[in-house]
Amino acid sequence: MKEQLYDIKRRATEELSKISTIQDLDAVRIRFLGKKGELTSVLRGMGALSPEERPVIGQLANEIRTFIEERIDEVKKELGEKELERKLRSEYIDVTMPGRRRYLGKKHPLTLVLDEIKEVFIGMGFEIAEGPEIELDYYNFEALNTPKNHPARDVQDTFYITDEILLRTQTSPVQVRVMENRRPPIRIICPGRVYRSDAVDATHSPIFHQVEGLVVDKGVTMGDLIGTLKVFARSLFGEKTEIRLRPHHFPFTEPSAEVDVSCWACGGSGCRVCKGEGWIEILGAGMVHPRVLEMCSIDPEVYSGFAFGLGVERTAMGRFNIDDMRLLYENDIRFLSQF
Ligand code: DAH
């Protein structure tokens, strides 16, 4: 029996020296010290021993149990330390390592300017209206007093889809759509994309943006138009900005004007930005033509209105001193991050 006990001690010691996981350790403990373990089953045979031998074997068995238990505790501790070290190594963070840079997105300059424009007009009581980019010839030209073979059609190189359907060349058709559906007083702006078959260069693009404005009510005058545009120009380009109206012709307004603002760069004395003129053209405007009102069943004897069409690209180029329109479409992050 002594031999058996020493054998248990020897084998337990050997196995414990090879252990590498807590689970293996548990298995060894159960196998040698458990209720059905080897040590227990040896002790079960104690009944066959003489009364003198019994305490001797009992003491030896206890010593071996204690010995194995202590070994198990030691191995457990070693395993714990190894595990901790492995964890520390794998979860190591170099706090001196430079962080990963994240770039913050920004609004596109056209969006920034459009936001400013909307803000100014909303502040004056205008509402925002929208219309389709694929438009009927009727709304883009006909109802705007521009019949087929009218010379004004030539200056707007139109993308036709069919004879009657086109990509709108201006935001003016939204005026008609609004007037057909609503009665005065009307005070709207319509921002949107427009299309013309133009070659790309520093000041042209086949797709660009306009903001249309329309006011129709009783007693609306040219004075109201000028006052409104002054407020707009000064909010965008500064309090000292002046505006100037030059007589012009649009089929849908009478009288019509092209509107200049005093140069945002030099204030009017003449510089490179305004090509020495002191003024920069930013929009077309006029009093809504009586025929246009009539075609929308608004009585021109009772109501009058003004309208204007503003180039958003040109305004953005002025507002941010951009000298090439192509920069607005190329999406070069080095350019866009400046705003
Ligand atoms: N639609 C014109 C264009 O694209 C701009 C314009 C001029 C709009 C006069 C108007 C206006 O509403 O009254 O060139």
Side-chain angles (χ1 to χ4, degrees):
M1 198 165 250
K2 247 185 197 166
E3 283 314 306
Q4 276 179 311
L5 288 172
Y6 279 122
D7 187 47
I8 287 173
K9 182 180 176 184
R10 193 180 49 71
R11 282 187 295 111
T13 309
E14 193 186 322
E15 286 196 28
L16 282 170
S17 71
K18 293 188 216 146
I19 291 283
S20 63
T21 70
I22 294 284
Q23 288 92 310
D24 290 350
L25 187 66
D26 251 7
V28 169
R29 187 180 54 74
I30 290 165
R31 188 142 63 75
F32 289 104
L33 307 181
K35 271 193 188 124
K36 292 174 184 163
E38 290 196 29
L39 198 65
T40 318
S41 62
V42 171
L43 292 179
R44 285 223 180 86
M46 287 235 302
L49 296 175
S50 64
E52 299 82 52
E53 279 174 317
R54 241 178 256 166
V56 180
I57 294 295
Q59 199 188 345
L60 181 63
N62 276 337
E63 275 170 21
I64 287 175
R65 172 180 289 279
T66 310
F67 174 82
I68 295 175
E69 275 170 356
E70 280 171 5
R71 270 305 289 150
I72 287 176
D73 282 347
E74 273 168 39
V75 171
K76 201 177 211 165
K77 213 172 131 208
E78 280 164 25
L79 285 178
E81 277 164 10
K82 266 190 208 149
E83 173 66 11
L84 183 65
E85 201 174 318
R86 193 191 59 76
K87 250 192 173 162
L88 286 176
R89 215 183 287 274
S90 71
E91 290 169 10
Y92 169 78
I93 294 170
D94 181 358
V95 291
T96 65
M97 208 159 74
R100 232 173 263 152
R101 212 179 238 276
R102 288 186 198 279
Y103 292 96
L104 209 55
K106 291 200 176 176
K107 281 191 180 175
H108 191 281
L110 283 178
T111 307
L112 289 172
V113 164
L114 211 50
D115 285 348
E116 281 183 27
I117 295 170
K118 285 184 197 162
E119 192 114 327
V120 176
F121 284 105
I122 288 170
M124 288 191 277
F126 284 68
E127 289 168 57
I128 298 196
E130 281 181 22
E133 290 174 27
I134 298 172
E135 185 55 283
L136 294 173
D137 182 279
Y138 176 78
Y139 287 108
N140 196 80
F141 289 127
E142 207 83 22
L144 288 166
N145 200 27
T146 319
K148 297 244 159 60
N149 72 43
H150 190 288
R153 288 193 176 213
D154 297 341
V155 289
Q156 302 193 352
D157 289 311
T158 310
F159 287 113
Y160 277 93
I161 295 169
T162 69
D163 274 356
E164 295 304 329
I165 301 170
L166 45 75
L167 297 179
R168 69 178 178 194
T169 60
Q170 48 191 359
T171 42
S172 308
V174 187
Q175 289 186 29
V176 181
R177 288 180 174 277
V178 170
M179 284 191 284
E180 275 183 351
N181 287 308
R182 290 171 49 171
R183 300 294 89 190
I186 292 170
R187 229 185 277 141
I188 51 136
I189 55 165
C190 1
R193 207 176 279 156
V194 300
Y195 301 82
R196 289 184 199 179
S197 171
D198 279 329
V200 176
D201 66 25
T203 53
H204 290 88
S205 159
I207 304 175
F208 58 103
H209 300 78
Q210 293 187 331
V211 175
E212 194 77 13
L214 174 70
V215 171
V216 182
D217 201 353
K218 286 177 181 158
V220 174
T221 68
M222 198 92 179
D224 297 316
L225 170 63
I226 294 171
T228 304
L229 293 180
K230 236 181 217 172
V231 169
F232 158 73
R234 290 183 177 163
S235 328
L236 253 86
F237 302 113
E239 271 311 303
K240 294 208 178 79
T241 308
E242 289 299 336
I243 64 167
R244 173 176 90 169
L245 277 70
R246 281 178 291 103
H248 196 74
H249 174 265
F250 296 106
F252 35 89
T253 43
E254 181 59 36
S256 304
E258 279 186 329
V259 182
D260 301 338
V261 295
S262 53
C263 177
W264 42 75
C266 65
S269 55
C271 69
R272 199 180 60 84
V273 173
C274 57
K275 301 193 180 73
E277 294 279 326
W279 298 92
I280 296 171
E281 185 209 323
I282 57 160
L283 52 84
M287 301 305 292
V288 180
H289 197 293
R291 274 193 54 76
V292 175
L293 294 175
E294 264 169 14
M295 276 194 273
C296 300
S297 315
I298 293 174
D299 185 353
E301 299 295 330
V302 181
Y303 294 103
S304 58
F306 69 73
F308 58 87
L310 166 77
V312 181
E313 276 76 359
R314 192 168 282 202
T315 310
M317 289 165 79
R319 183 75 179 65
F320 296 122
N321 249 314
I322 300 164
D323 59 5
D324 193 324
M325 195 157 149
R326 285 167 287 198
L327 289 166
L328 293 171
Y329 307 119
E330 283 165 354
N331 286 335
D332 185 330
I333 205 88
R334 290 166 302 181
F335 169 73
L336 294 177
S337 60
Q338 296 174 44
F339 301 95

